Amino acid sequence: MFPTCFFIMYCSREGLTKSCLQSPEQPVTLSAAKALYQFAKDGGEGNEPEIIMHLRGALGDGGGIPVVIKLLTKEAWCGADFEVQAVCLNILSRCAGEAVADGRLILRKRNGESCQADKNGEEKCRLKTVELGGLKPMVEHLKSEELDVAGKAAYCIACHALDSPVRLGIHILGGVALLLQLMSNKNADDGVVNQAALALSTVLQHVEAKDELYRLKGMKVLIDQGLMSDSVDVQENAARALAYAIEQEGNLKDLRRLEGIDKLIEMLAALPDTDRVPNDKVRQSVSFALSLSAFDSECRTEIRMKEGLRALSNCLASEEARVQEEALMALANCAFDIPCKQTIGALGGMKNGIGLLSNGELSVVANACVALSRLVFDFMSGLDFVEEGGVGQLASVLSNYCKLYDQFVESKQKHVEDLSKEDLDQEAKKAAQDALEKLEIPDLRLGRAILENCKSCAEQGNVREEMRKEENFFGNMFRMIKHEDEIVSGMACQALANAAFDVEGRPMLLEMNAIPEFVKCLTYKDVDTQLSAARAIGNFAMDSYGRQKLFESKAMAPLVAQLEAKDENGKDAIEPRRAAILAIGKCASDRSSAVELCDIGALSKLLSLMDTHWKQLGQAAEDAVERLLQKSQSAKLWLRGEVDFEDRTSDGWFDMGVGRPYTSLTDLQKETINTNREVLLADASQDNRLKQLVEEVKGECASLGLTQIILDKRDIASTDIKKKCVVKIAEILSQRLGGSILYDKYMDFGYSTEIQRCKQLRKSNVVWVGDLKKAGCRHRAFLFKYLCDLVLPYLCRLERTKIERGAHVGHAWNVVKFFGDVDQEGQQKTYTVDLMHNVGSLYENGTDFNPADEWAAKYQVKEERNATIFLTSHPEEGCVSLHFAGMKLNHGFLVFSSRSLIALKSLFVYLMELFIVTIHQA
């Protein structure tokens, strides 16, 4: 055999590989291969794979790799030789840079530090072997009669099957079946079986390989030849292979059918009555398998019934961190069921989990957080968490993670600032850039697990109370909501949102200025984060101070946008939408917020959601619309065509008329002057003429004896005073807007010129009612409602006709009532106020016992009358007479209803028939 130093000395010489590895002499080839293997194993330079790939004199691309691969085939220069093949398989395994440690494939270690596979050539060497077709001879050698070669081939496969395409390639070449056969070979020793189990534990991570295992009934082999083996190494790798296999439903069923759960629990060797000797590596892989099986409800039940929870809880006492890590995850997955949660708690799982929060291994801490997040699920479990000191431990873990993240942010900011310096030379800039690239963010999995624990704990009121008492607990959670990782930030949002449920918690969050962060979280892809952010905003809107802060933070627009929320796949997110609807309903508790919400499109979107097939959205949207209309009288008039007695108007109230989509007042004022129907605006804070009118009305009513005491009374005397005030307001308003006119002469009451004058005055289609000097029914009714709400609140109603064509489009009138003014049966009387013809007249609308005044319906003009056309033929005179019954003139325009149009059509048909007959007779 060549000494290693000799090989290294001459490895770069031209033709050395060709003369040795390609020698037809088996001893020469074997010696060269052994020397190459020795060099790859412990050459001492750290870049041996790269050197091997660049050996000169090799076959094409890849240096020595294609030579080694050819030596595995029958075309080898020295012929097929088991010894040479075994050594070559070892070379390829070493060049792939992987070794077995702690039951997993990890990077080979030198001097206590992990190899950098991408720098020393190991990763390139592995991929080059696959590219050059090295997988096929590896899989073929699994059939070798020489079991040592077969075992080494299995190990070599394990070292190369580190990514999905390679695993798929091994599966296509029939590797799964051959590995199972190798495990079942009665002549194979534990070492060979172990290598086969190890290879399966990597290959079975591909979904098609799992399916192939199910077709081959491979679970029985893994259980009988793996789990039941006397070798702990075989048990370890077989359990890990089984863990990946049961991710396929068929394999999971086979596990239960073959009593695999029982065998896995027995392998934990954590129960007092077991005969097995505990082994940490086996415990680790078995716990991993149980954690994956626990995603199935039947498996969880079986684990609980077979004392598996007790065995896993006992594993938490192990001194090996990996065992604790996997056992915690298994317990966490079992804790999806209430019975399992209760059993784990009874076995001391809560106490053990809290104790492991102080573990030095961050992976153990992360899994402890996940487990505890599922164990804290109700008041009693929350009480246990508090009593065991869990709040303090969790606060400490969160604080430590925040410090790590703060250090990361500070370092990153420093490097960015260095790069932005103009006087920095190229060398220093490159150093700063390299330092920035090498900077690693603190463990994201740990951060997510900590915040998941915080979220579940904050869902319980008794735990939240203790969390508030803990110094800076919520402050650190708020720090994490600003994390650059969206998932961590979203988890912090979900945890912090629970704090907004409490009256004591909301001021704390408002002091932190948390609202903008919650608004930002509305845009995240994660549905749970969107849901939590919308709920938090809804909770802030429960009091006036919170609504004011939401208004100042401009949270309304993003909240309205949430009505169209989508999940990360672009599908409609129902629950976030519903939470946004509820939040909008709460925000609509005051007028300013309700008006803003309507202005930015909330009303229109809610109306569309009312008709959706999702019932949970439709009902919530309907409730939110009602809340908006209670505070925005402009929106109510637009949608319902009425403003009721209890709807008290105020400055900023406007009427858009009919036949157009709802638009904000700001946008309406920006429109250029056109022929569209005018928008009426009542705002005494800006309109000085309207302000004077308001003062005049208040003065006149006061002179009639109207006081607050009179308003509150319901006797006859106070009612008479209120009626006189209504008449006086009507008279003042009529005098201000052009006086009265006879009912039949209304068509001559032209006011369009006045409307255009007012539009030009304000350079807008929005007409200030104080500017009007002449106006029709619609304008007078609008102004009357505004004035009455100031002087006689809750006594006046505005109604608008549903007529959509003709002169009465937008016609409106007022109805008033006086508390205490009832008929003989106690029913409330209401009156239609005449503001146009017999100004000040109150026409009784009638009750069940009192007939309505005929002028009430006449003034209201709620619907157009039908026009009927009667045709009478007079053949003897050669003519047809038309009689129009029920036709009405609307201010000079002849208006036909749908019935009228049908009659006209009949007339046209009759005339055509008559014309044809006449021609025929002629």
Side-chain angles (χ1 to χ4, degrees):
M1 180 179 107
F2 290 120
T4 303
C5 59
F6 178 82
F7 181 85
I8 296 173
M9 185 181 300
Y10 293 101
C11 66
S12 61
R13 290 187 179 180
E14 185 74 30
L16 178 63
T17 302
K18 181 176 181 180
S19 62
C20 296
L21 294 178
Q22 300 180 25
S23 172
E25 300 293 331
Q26 189 271 352
V28 176
T29 303
L30 179 61
S31 296
K34 287 182 178 179
L36 184 60
Y37 170 65
Q38 192 67 26
F39 170 73
K41 182 179 178 182
D42 51 7
E45 299 296 329
N47 61 343
E48 299 84 356
E50 190 169 5
I51 292 174
I52 293 173
M53 284 184 63
H54 292 86
L55 285 176
R56 289 179 291 174
L59 300 175
D61 185 27
I65 298 300
V67 176
V68 176
I69 291 174
K70 187 171 182 178
L71 289 172
L72 293 175
T73 66
K74 295 178 181 179
E75 289 78 21
W77 297 275
C78 64
D81 182 80
F82 290 143
E83 290 185 274
V84 173
Q85 291 168 354
V87 176
C88 288
L89 288 167
N90 283 340
I91 292 172
L92 291 178
S93 298
R94 285 297 177 180
C95 287
E98 302 292 333
V100 179
D102 193 22
R104 301 177 177 184
L105 289 176
I106 62 172
L107 287 174
R108 186 154 51 101
K109 291 188 176 182
R110 295 192 183 91
N111 301 323
E113 296 182 0
S114 299
C115 257
Q116 299 297 321
D118 56 340
K119 293 185 178 180
N120 61 23
E122 292 171 344
E123 180 69 4
K124 292 179 181 178
C125 197
R126 182 180 72 86
L127 296 176
K128 181 59 68 175
T129 301
V130 175
E131 180 186 339
L132 295 174
L135 291 181
K136 185 174 181 179
M138 290 181 205
V139 174
E140 287 295 325
H141 281 300
L142 293 175
K143 307 174 187 177
S144 176
E145 296 177 359
E146 187 65 35
L147 292 178
D148 181 58
V149 174
K152 287 180 169 57
Y155 179 72
C156 194
I157 288 173
C159 294
H160 285 80
L162 302 181
D163 49 45
S164 185
V166 178
R167 293 168 186 151
L168 178 60
I170 294 169
H171 156 65
I172 292 172
L173 292 169
V176 176
L178 293 173
L179 288 168
L180 288 173
Q181 291 175 14
L182 189 58
M183 282 191 70
S184 303
N185 194 317
K186 295 181 179 180
N187 297 321
D189 59 20
D190 289 340
V192 174
V193 175
N194 180 48
Q195 306 300 2
L198 175 61
L200 282 171
S201 71
T202 59
V203 177
L204 287 175
Q205 294 179 45
H206 195 281
V207 62
E208 293 191 23
K210 303 179 204 288
D211 295 337
E212 179 68 13
L213 184 84
Y214 174 66
R215 287 192 291 269
L216 296 170
K217 306 299 181 184
M219 288 299 293
K220 182 172 177 58
V221 176
L222 288 175
I223 293 173
D224 292 345
Q225 308 301 325
L227 300 187
M228 303 308 294
S229 172
D230 293 332
S231 169
V232 293
D233 291 332
V234 176
Q235 294 173 16
E236 173 193 1
N237 288 315
R240 195 167 297 280
L242 180 144
Y244 291 118
I246 60 177
E247 290 179 336
Q248 198 259 17
E249 186 177 359
N251 291 325
L252 183 62
K253 291 180 179 179
D254 284 347
L255 175 71
R256 294 198 303 268
R257 181 176 57 83
L258 296 170
E259 298 182 349
I261 298 291
D262 286 21
K263 295 179 175 60
L264 288 171
I265 294 172
E266 181 184 349
M267 289 172 66
L268 287 176
L271 297 175
D273 56 350
T274 184
D275 295 330
R276 287 179 178 264
V277 178
N279 180 278
D280 283 337
K281 289 184 178 179
V282 174
R283 282 172 149 187
Q284 179 189 341
S285 58
V286 169
S287 296
F288 176 57
L290 287 173
S291 70
L292 292 180
S293 69
F295 285 112
D296 179 73
S297 60
E298 293 184 16
C299 286
R300 288 197 295 271
T301 302
E302 189 171 352
I303 292 172
R304 177 171 59 86
M305 299 299 291
K306 299 294 178 60
E307 292 196 272
L309 296 178
R310 183 179 170 209
L312 288 168
S313 297
N314 290 340
C315 286
L316 298 180
S318 172
E319 295 180 359
E320 176 58 44
R322 292 288 177 83
V323 177
Q324 296 173 336
E325 175 187 351
E326 298 294 357
L328 277 168
M329 185 52 65
L331 287 171
N333 291 342
C334 288
F336 282 118
D337 288 342
I338 299 297
C340 288
K341 293 176 190 284
Q342 295 170 340
T343 303
I344 294 170
L347 291 169
M350 183 77 74
K351 182 178 180 180
N352 291 334
I354 292 171
L356 290 172
L357 289 177
S358 58
N359 194 287
E361 289 286 339
L362 297 182
S363 58
V364 176
V365 175
N367 281 5
C369 287
V370 174
L372 289 170
S373 69
R374 294 171 188 169
L375 291 176
V376 180
F377 65 97
D378 60 8
F379 178 85
M380 293 306 299
S381 59
L383 187 61
D384 290 342
F385 184 80
V386 171
E387 291 177 349
E388 294 293 343
V391 174
Q393 287 282 14
L394 183 57
S396 177
V397 171
L398 177 61
S399 177
N400 292 336
Y401 185 82
C402 286
K403 290 177 183 177
L404 291 174
Y405 183 70
D406 289 340
Q407 292 172 5
F408 163 77
V409 172
E410 185 179 347
S411 299
K412 183 178 179 180
Q413 186 176 357
K414 181 179 181 301
H415 293 319
V416 172
E417 290 176 356
D418 290 342
L419 287 172
S420 63
K421 293 179 181 178
E422 297 181 357
D423 57 344
L424 203 66
D425 57 40
Q426 288 298 115
E427 184 176 349
K429 185 173 290 187
K430 185 178 183 304
Q433 185 65 40
D434 291 342
L436 184 61
E437 292 176 358
K438 292 179 181 178
L439 199 61
E440 292 186 1
I441 193 169
D443 189 354
L444 293 177
R445 180 177 178 272
L446 175 61
R448 295 168 187 174
I450 293 171
L451 290 165
E452 183 179 355
N453 195 1
C454 293
K455 172 194 170 185
S456 66
C457 290
E459 288 174 354
Q460 311 305 322
N462 53 346
V463 184
R464 278 201 307 275
E465 185 177 352
E466 295 300 321
M467 293 169 75
R468 283 197 300 271
K469 296 176 182 177
E470 196 69 33
E471 184 179 0
N472 208 29
F473 200 140
F474 285 109
N476 285 330
M477 281 198 286
F478 180 68
R479 177 71 185 88
M480 286 296 97
I481 206 173
K482 299 180 180 181
H483 200 288
E484 67 178 45
D485 179 73
E486 185 172 305
I487 298 178
V488 174
S489 176
M491 293 296 297
C493 169
Q494 295 174 44
L496 208 57
N498 291 322
F501 282 104
D502 299 326
V503 176
E504 300 85 353
R506 288 195 290 273
M508 185 188 306
L509 295 176
L510 290 174
E511 188 176 345
M512 297 176 189
N513 194 28
I515 290 179
E517 299 301 324
F518 284 117
V519 171
K520 180 188 70 174
C521 290
L522 287 173
T523 63
Y524 284 5
K525 296 179 181 178
D526 181 63
V527 171
D528 290 333
T529 301
Q530 297 175 14
L531 177 62
S532 297
R535 284 177 174 173
I537 291 174
N539 289 327
F540 285 124
M542 292 177 69
D543 55 67
S544 58
Y545 181 70
R547 289 194 294 273
Q548 179 62 31
K549 287 295 182 181
L550 288 171
F551 185 82
E552 294 173 359
S553 301
K554 299 181 179 179
M556 300 303 175
L559 189 61
V560 172
Q562 193 67 7
L563 295 176
E564 300 175 344
K566 304 284 186 181
D567 62 16
E568 55 189 6
N569 297 318
K571 296 181 179 179
D572 294 336
I574 305 304
E575 284 304 316
R577 291 187 182 191
R578 185 173 183 275
I581 292 172
L582 296 176
I584 287 173
K586 294 176 182 177
C587 290
S589 297
D590 58 67
R591 185 178 183 278
S592 59
S593 298
V595 170
E596 182 188 5
L597 286 166
C598 291
D599 289 349
I600 60 179
L603 181 59
S604 301
K605 291 181 179 180
L606 288 171
L607 289 172
S608 65
L609 288 174
M610 283 174 60
D611 298 328
T612 183
H613 61 279
W614 292 302
K615 292 183 179 180
Q616 63 269 43
L617 292 186
Q619 184 59 52
E622 185 177 348
D623 294 341
V625 167
E626 288 299 325
R627 287 174 173 267
L628 286 172
L629 298 185
Q630 286 176 8
K631 297 297 180 180
S632 177
Q633 285 72 42
S634 302
K636 186 169 185 178
L637 181 58
W638 168 80
L639 181 63
R640 302 275 173 80
E642 62 183 26
V643 184
D644 218 333
F645 297 105
E646 63 272 11
D647 296 320
R648 191 171 182 181
T649 59
S650 58
D651 287 339
W653 184 43
F654 64 95
D655 173 22
M656 296 170 53
V658 296
R660 63 184 300 173
Y662 185 86
T663 310
S664 70
L665 180 61
T666 302
D667 291 340
L668 290 170
Q669 290 174 325
K670 291 178 182 178
E671 290 181 357
T672 56
I673 299 177
N674 52 45
T675 58
N676 291 342
R677 187 170 298 277
E678 69 279 4
V679 177
L680 302 179
L681 172 63
D683 190 347
S685 64
Q686 301 181 68
D687 189 341
N688 289 328
R689 288 174 57 85
L690 178 59
K691 185 177 180 180
Q692 294 172 3
L693 178 61
V694 170
E695 294 300 324
E696 180 184 352
V697 167
K698 287 182 177 180
E700 291 293 337
C701 290
S703 66
L704 294 172
L706 184 67
T707 62
Q708 185 61 48
I709 296 176
I710 295 297
L711 285 173
D712 295 337
K713 288 184 177 182
R714 301 190 176 194
D715 55 15
I716 297 176
S718 61
T719 299
D720 288 341
I721 294 175
K722 295 171 191 176
K723 286 183 178 180
K724 291 178 181 178
C725 290
V726 168
V727 173
K728 176 57 68 175
I729 295 173
E731 292 173 349
I732 294 174
L733 190 149
S734 178
Q735 293 171 5
R736 184 73 171 262
L737 297 179
S740 62
I741 190 168
L742 295 176
Y743 184 83
D744 295 334
K745 298 293 184 179
Y746 185 70
M747 55 180 290
D748 299 327
F749 191 76
Y751 55 85
S752 58
T753 303
E754 176 64 9
I755 297 298
Q756 293 303 316
R757 182 191 70 80
C758 292
K759 285 185 177 183
Q760 293 294 336
L761 180 64
R762 301 297 175 181
K763 306 298 181 185
S764 170
N765 283 323
V766 178
V767 172
W768 293 17
V769 290
D771 294 336
L772 288 170
K773 296 181 180 179
K774 193 173 186 181
C777 295
R778 174 196 169 209
H779 314 84
R780 297 187 184 200
F782 176 82
L783 181 54
F784 185 83
K785 169 64 175 171
Y786 174 78
L787 294 173
C788 274
D789 285 346
L790 291 175
V791 182
L792 300 167
Y794 311 115
L795 298 184
C796 179
R797 169 188 174 92
L798 170 65
E799 294 186 44
R800 186 168 60 200
T801 184
K802 296 179 181 179
I803 297 175
E804 298 181 358
R805 293 185 180 185
H808 278 305
V809 173
H811 170 66
W813 64 94
N814 301 103
V815 175
V816 294
K817 67 178 180 180
F818 307 98
F819 296 114
D821 185 16
V822 296
D823 65 7
Q824 60 270 29
E825 294 295 328
Q827 291 188 16
Q828 177 69 57
K829 292 182 180 181
T830 60
Y831 304 87
T832 297
V833 183
D834 191 334
L835 302 174
M836 200 73 221
H837 312 298
N838 300 315
V839 175
S841 297
L842 301 181
Y843 307 129
E844 188 173 343
N845 293 318
T847 64
D848 292 342
F849 298 93
N850 290 347
D853 191 317
E854 63 177 352
W855 271 95
K858 193 173 182 180
Y859 186 85
Q860 292 175 4
V861 195
K862 288 187 177 180
E863 58 183 21
E864 53 189 336
R865 303 170 189 170
N866 292 325
T868 305
I869 303 176
F870 298 96
L871 306 178
T872 304
S873 177
H874 306 278
E876 67 282 2
E877 298 178 10
C879 66
V880 178
S881 63
L882 285 74
H883 304 273
F884 292 87
M887 184 77 71
K888 72 167 185 283
L889 290 174
N890 280 349
H891 307 323
F893 295 93
L894 187 62
V895 181
F896 294 93
S897 67
S898 57
R899 288 175 57 187
S900 303
L901 294 177
I902 294 173
L904 286 173
K905 182 179 179 181
S906 301
L907 172 63
F908 178 78
V909 172
Y910 176 84
L911 292 175
M912 290 299 297
E913 291 176 347
L914 185 63
F915 177 76
I916 292 171
V917 170
T918 303
I919 295 297
H920 179 71
Q921 291 176 348

